[in-house]
Amino acid sequence: MAYQVSTDEFERIAADALESIPPALRARMDADNLLITIQPEATDDDRARGINERVLGYFQGANDSTFSPSVYPKRIVLLQHNIERWCWTREQLVDQVHDTVLHEVAHYFGMNHQDIETTRLHH
Ligand SMILES: [Zn+2]
């Protein structure tokens, strides 16, 4: 079954993943106030946009909000239960969180899936 941890623990694992990002890139993310949000699972809003239980995380850019005049913050959302569902051990969970964070950070820096594949950020 899924390997589950507390929200606090999950946050620590995500924070460690961020630490593995080169300082120069992290500085740009900080300067841009990029948020990393952890949600237990997809919200109704997410589902309406096609985010289902198979999605481990996503990046939401500032121009994502076609329906609103206000500007959303750029953020990376990690879907904790969706990530845990694929993991049987703590080691797998740590790996999966790292992969997901790096994948979404790559999107933040403008990479598409093909770019990510080529640089092997996406395993
Ligand atoms: Zn992606």
Side-chain angles (χ1 to χ4, degrees), residues 8-97:
D8 282 357
E9 183 64 8
F10 197 89
E11 273 171 15
R12 271 194 293 275
I13 295 171
D16 283 350
L18 280 173
E19 291 292 313
S20 73
I21 293 168
L25 296 185
R26 252 190 302 145
R28 280 173 60 186
M29 292 157 60
D30 287 346
D32 203 20
N33 291 317
L34 176 66
L35 296 174
I36 313 273
T37 309
I38 294 162
Q39 279 179 194
E41 53 201 32
T43 61
D44 289 345
D45 268 6
D46 292 336
R47 278 183 237 280
R49 293 186 298 112
I51 309 286
N52 60 30
E53 68 282 349
R54 302 185 132 273
V55 177
L56 307 185
Y58 60 85
F59 167 66
Q60 193 169 39
N63 54 6
D64 218 71
S65 54
T66 2
F67 298 108
S68 166
S70 63
V71 178
Y72 279 87
K74 292 179 193 170
R75 60 184 191 132
I76 287 171
V77 177
L78 302 176
L79 300 168
Q80 182 175 350
H81 294 171
N82 294 7
I83 292 174
E84 288 170 342
R85 187 171 294 133
W86 302 100
C87 302
W88 273 257
T89 65
R90 186 189 164 79
E91 201 182 14
Q92 285 176 343
L93 182 64
V94 168
D95 278 355
Q96 192 59 72
V97 170

Side-chain angles (χ1 to χ4, degrees), residues 57-59 103-104 107 111-113 116 122:
Y58 60 85
F59 167 66
H103 182 100
E104 302 312 331
H107 280 314
M111 294 171 74
N112 60 31
H113 282 143
I116 294 172
H122 181 225

